[in-house]
Amino acid sequence: MNHNSKIISKLFRSSVLSIIAAAIAAMLGIVIDGIIIGRFLGTDSMAAYGLVTPVVNLTTAFSGVLAMGAQVVCAQHLGAGSKQKARQTFSMCMVVTIVISAVLMLLIFFFRENVCVLLGARDKSAHLLPLVSDYLLGMMFSIPSVLLLFEFNALMRLDGDANRVVVAVVVMTVLDIVGDILNALVIKGGMLGMGITTSISYFVALVIMLLHFTKKDIIFKFSFKGLRLKDLSDILLTGSSSAMGSTATMLRNAILNQIMVATVLSSTAVAALSVLNTIMNFTSSTMIGIGMTCAMIAGMILGEKDRSAALSLVKVTVRTALLIGGILAVAIFLLADVIAGVFKGDNGEQMVALAARGLRFYSVSLILYGINNAFVNYTQGMRRMAISNIFCFLETFVFIVVPALSLAGILSTDAVWLAFLIGEGCTLLSIIIFAAIHKRGIPYRMSDYLFLKEPFGAPEENVFEASVTDESQVIPASDAVREFCVSKNADPKQTYLLSLFVEELGNNIVRHGFMKGKGNGIDIRVIREEEGFTLRFRDNCKAFDPTEWIKLHESDDPTSNIGIRMVCGMAKSVHYVSAMDLNNLTVSI
């Protein structure tokens, strides 16, 4: 593994751990909601909780399109070295979020009963309408917080404040659990109280995250200045696969609920499906955390046009998805009865048996889901939106709903459980077939699954790459850059400057940026372009902006940090961006 692969892998692992931790904590609150509702409020309340799932999916559809769209577009701008464009995208995202939140809250408040009927609280399940209505009313107040939390969760990682996200979500989860228990055992607030408790916990988490924006040295600062409709269109287009996934999930759950309602078991079957959906939300959050990390890093790689980094990203994402998906699959399969039993209320034996059976079917599909989700998010990060949307729609809706409807008359509730496994298998087969069409051959290498829009970056022969992990490697890298420039017919001045800049900047980073025991390294890329050469440094060392340093020390000793002064003075342009705890310096010659 070259060091480029090591830096990408280390960045992925460090990012994915915090994202998964936050996602698990958030989903743990949802799981606890389901457990407390099932055990203390009864099977009907659990069924009502399940019927509200499509509304939750709709909210996450909006938050997903804005969060993922803004994250990828901002990461691309930062990868290309433009903080200003990233800030404009962030500001537009905030404006749209407030508008959407207000509209959704008003619609639910004034048309709540109609929404409940549409969700399935009618006919055999008409007695569930008051419970569904109460829960919707309580949950309504969480909508602004949910949308903003999803977006901050994505963007604050780019801004180097991932720990705050974890703290906020952990606090939210603890408050939700404590509030749910008090509501069920002390306050006796029913489904309305459950919804209000969730809204309060989300709001507290939002306040914690908002404190990030009181800091001085941050990338994302809100401003009405420079707002552009193009930024909105970029966000919506790039986040479209997230919207596709959430909307398709909402429709899928509504259809599956109707299949369950149509069975003899009625609300018991819906409650069993609610258990499965609750566990799916929890386990899927882990895979979604992997996908979000992949999309975020892919956006940065897209801005840099770095093909080798894209390959490293796909490899580490697939490996991680296989490992974690396998662990979760085994755990759920073996503990299905125990997990389902946790949700058991009065006279809930039949519901537990159904839910346990569904969990075992679902567990087998988890490994495939991890791989499929990784490619949906990777292609989204690379802004291959048509590919991402197709994969997402097939996986989330078509390949699950069609088998469920086709087999319902034969297998009853088993049709729903089996549909998840069939769906993931068909999705993976579709990805392989598409890669084969794209390659026009058998896609047996990981590089066959990059799905890049060609031409992607400079031709391979016009790119030089080297990695430095200690000071002894700087001079050899400088010499190799000189040889590369000569082979590309660079003029003597360009050759001299590029070689000199690699030596000066490389030594500066090693001497002042490396931290003991941190596995620090530098990726050096030299790109031959029509208008000249571009030199790029990527490192995972201490943050340091040479352009800002020059501004702050213009009148100081001119011999201090002479290498930095020389580079900034002799290059056509120098751009620095710190994102995801990586330093990215671009020098044009």
Side-chain angles (χ1 to χ4, degrees), residues 113-254:
E113 186 170 333
N114 303 83
V115 173
C116 294
V117 172
L118 184 63
L119 290 172
R122 62 182 184 274
D123 301 328
K124 290 183 181 181
S125 300
H127 62 288
L128 299 178
L129 195 148
L131 296 173
V132 177
S133 179
D134 283 349
Y135 192 54
L136 264 182
L137 180 60
M139 288 286 292
M140 176 187 73
F141 299 102
S142 70
I143 291 176
S145 298
V146 170
L147 265 67
L148 289 170
L149 281 173
F150 267 83
E151 292 157 21
F152 292 161
N153 182 26
L155 295 172
M156 284 169 60
R157 299 176 194 283
L158 286 172
D159 223 346
D161 202 0
N163 290 336
R164 186 183 300 275
V165 175
V166 176
V167 170
V169 175
V170 169
V171 170
M172 176 186 74
T173 303
V174 172
L175 286 177
D176 193 27
I177 294 172
V178 172
D180 284 349
I181 294 174
L182 288 175
N183 176 69
L185 301 180
V186 180
I187 302 174
K188 307 291 185 179
M191 292 298 283
L192 176 62
M194 300 300 289
I196 291 175
T197 296
T198 299
S199 294
I200 292 173
S201 61
Y202 269 102
F203 178 76
V204 173
L206 177 61
V207 171
I208 294 173
M209 285 198 179
L210 285 172
L211 294 176
H212 166 80
F213 299 97
T214 63
K215 297 166 63 176
K216 292 183 179 179
D217 299 326
I218 58 176
I219 296 173
F220 300 113
K221 298 177 180 179
F222 179 83
S223 174
F224 284 107
K225 183 179 180 181
L227 292 180
R228 303 179 305 168
L229 288 177
K230 183 182 183 305
D231 293 324
L232 176 58
S233 65
D234 284 344
I235 292 173
L236 296 178
L237 179 62
T238 306
S240 60
S241 63
S242 295
M244 174 75 73
S246 295
T247 304
T249 299
M250 176 190 68
L251 296 174
R252 181 196 72 199
N253 287 339

